[in-house]
Amino acid sequence: MTAPAAATLPAGLVTYEDVARAAERLAGAAHHTPVLVSRMANERTGASLFFKAENFQRTGAFKFRGAYNAISALAPEQRARGVVTYSSGNHGQALACAGALLGAPVTVVMPHDAPAIKVAATRGYGADIVVYDRFRDDREEIGRRLAQERGLALVPPYDHDDVIAGQGTAGKELFEEAGPLDRLYVCLGGGGLLSGCALSAKALSPGCEVIGVEPEAGDDGRQSLRKGEIVRIPVPQTIADGAMTAFLGERTFPIIRRDVADIETVSDAALVEAMRFFAERMKVVVEPTGCLAAAASFAAGDAIAGRRVGVILSGGNIDLQRFAALVADA
Ligand SMILES: *Cc1c(COP(=O)(O)O)cnc(C)c1O
């Protein structure tokens, strides 16, 4: 690795101690999000469900945790030079917000056809936007080049130790508030949230089965777990736009392989059904990707009946028109 940040990464895999250190850095900066319970959800599943509501996190998704931790971990000179990433979604906004809070200039590489609302939100936090052509250019290559040319630290959306450790604090808070759990459902894109939360589960609730959940259209994570190596697939077509990743990370996969019991998939229709449930019954807006874990728990049946089950609601960023169209169609 040639990015300046690489020098700060430990050689071994991320540990729970890294998650605990991230929690100290995040104290007072990230929201301690609520754990929601619902009698209706419990009746429906026969389980005791604990929903960790990261849709209420700063910038609307858990991504703020990893982004803030990654910038906090940089040496002061590197922080002053700045950071770069190539995610147009929740991670880009989270990094822009964290950079503004920590005094680090942020550059976000975005596709030329990114929704205007996302570009505006990211720019609103003061980030510098570099546009690329998604049909011609390789965004990771552009990110690496900018890192080198401008001396910026590359903070990718999931395959980064400080990002993984930061995301793990969502799980840490859940176990500290809800107590030991029999099972934990976590949505899965590139695996930052899943690997981080698996570290927290192992440390705080040994014996808790951790289940990753990805869209039916793109089960590269499940294939990777079965095969014992990272499997690459074409970019999946799904309404879960935060989980349209085609492969797991080099840093996330070894943790997932060691600490995650299984990976399940859910359909787009089940995601819409879950969005309706949260809006109608619990009065909360959860974006499609944010419903992956919940939809799997709603379909679990006997596997979770009578058990204490954690579910991470990963985010709530969806524009109202799209939200309305999706829930109206169901
Ligand atoms: C990024 C994201 C995910 C996937 O997280 P990974 O760490 O890439 O697995 C899930 N839900 C939301 C809302 C996200 O923004």
Side-chain angles (χ1 to χ4, degrees):
M1 282 203 277
T2 50
T8 66
L9 302 181
L13 291 177
V14 186
T15 65
Y16 177 71
E17 281 62 48
D18 299 312
V19 178
R21 195 168 327 127
E24 283 169 23
R25 294 190 182 120
L26 286 169
H31 293 319
H32 192 114
T33 55
V35 176
L36 309 177
V37 295
S38 155
R39 194 170 55 86
M40 193 83 88
N42 291 348
E43 274 172 14
R44 181 178 170 164
T45 55
S48 290
L49 297 181
F50 300 89
F51 299 101
K52 178 66 170 166
E54 285 295 297
N55 52 313
F56 295 133
Q57 186 49 262
R58 279 181 104 145
T59 71
F62 70 90
K63 291 284 198 320
F64 180 80
R65 296 174 181 273
Y68 191 92
N69 186 49
I71 298 179
S72 301
L74 296 172
E77 318 81 65
Q78 181 60 67
R79 205 193 279 192
R81 272 202 297 277
V83 297
V84 60
T85 194
Y86 43 72
S87 152
S88 55
N90 288 337
H91 175 69
Q93 283 178 53
L95 196 71
C97 177
L101 291 167
L102 291 164
V106 176
T107 303
V108 181
V109 182
M110 284 190 150
H112 67 287
D113 56 353
I117 185 169
K118 280 190 179 169
V119 178
T122 308
R123 193 170 276 139
Y125 291 113
D128 187 16
I129 313 274
V130 173
V131 177
Y132 74 98
D133 183 335
R134 80 154 92 222
F135 302 105
R136 252 190 16 222
D137 308 329
D138 173 355
R139 64 177 200 166
E140 300 193 18
E141 152 67 25
I142 296 173
R144 276 192 297 268
R145 206 185 55 226
L146 283 172
Q148 247 166 18
E149 287 173 4
R150 304 187 184 176
L152 307 175
L154 183 62
V155 184
Y158 54 84
D159 208 13
H160 186 295
D161 289 0
D162 297 317
V163 171
I164 294 169
Q167 319 304 34
T169 61
K172 178 177 184 287
E173 287 176 11
L174 172 59
F175 288 111
E176 285 169 352
E177 185 162 339
L181 300 170
D182 299 310
R183 191 178 265 210
L184 174 66
Y185 286 98
V186 185
C187 56
L188 171 60
L193 184 64
L194 178 59
S195 57
C197 288
L199 294 172
S200 293
K202 199 164 71 166
L204 302 178
S205 182
C208 174
E209 255 180 332
V210 180
I211 309 285
V213 187
E214 59 189 351
E216 206 170 73
D219 71 338
D220 62 290
R222 186 165 62 177
Q223 291 184 44
S224 302
L225 201 60
R226 302 270 187 281
K227 207 162 171 216
E229 64 185 48
I230 298 171
V231 172
R232 292 177 180 245
I233 59 166
V235 174
Q237 293 309 307
T238 166
I239 60 169
D241 56 354
M244 287 170 68
T245 36
F247 48 88
L248 298 178
E250 306 276 346
R251 302 299 294 165
T252 59
F253 179 63
I255 301 170
I256 291 170
R257 207 179 160 195
R258 186 190 62 198
D259 295 335
V260 170
D262 202 3
I263 293 174
E264 299 180 0
T265 65
V266 300
S267 67
D268 280 3
L271 293 178
V272 170
E273 214 276 306
M275 285 168 72
R276 281 175 67 94
F277 179 85
F278 288 116
E280 196 167 44
R281 303 296 179 187
M282 293 175 68
K283 318 303 169 193
V284 290
V285 172
V286 187
E287 66 182 275
T289 317
C291 288
L292 281 164
S297 74
F298 293 162
D302 286 347
I304 61 167
R307 305 178 77 188
R308 293 165 48 78
V309 177
V311 173
I312 308 236
L313 305 181
S314 56
N317 290 326
I318 179 164
D319 73 71
L320 270 190
Q321 248 165 359
R322 181 158 161 68
F323 181 83
L326 282 173
V327 298
D329 278 356

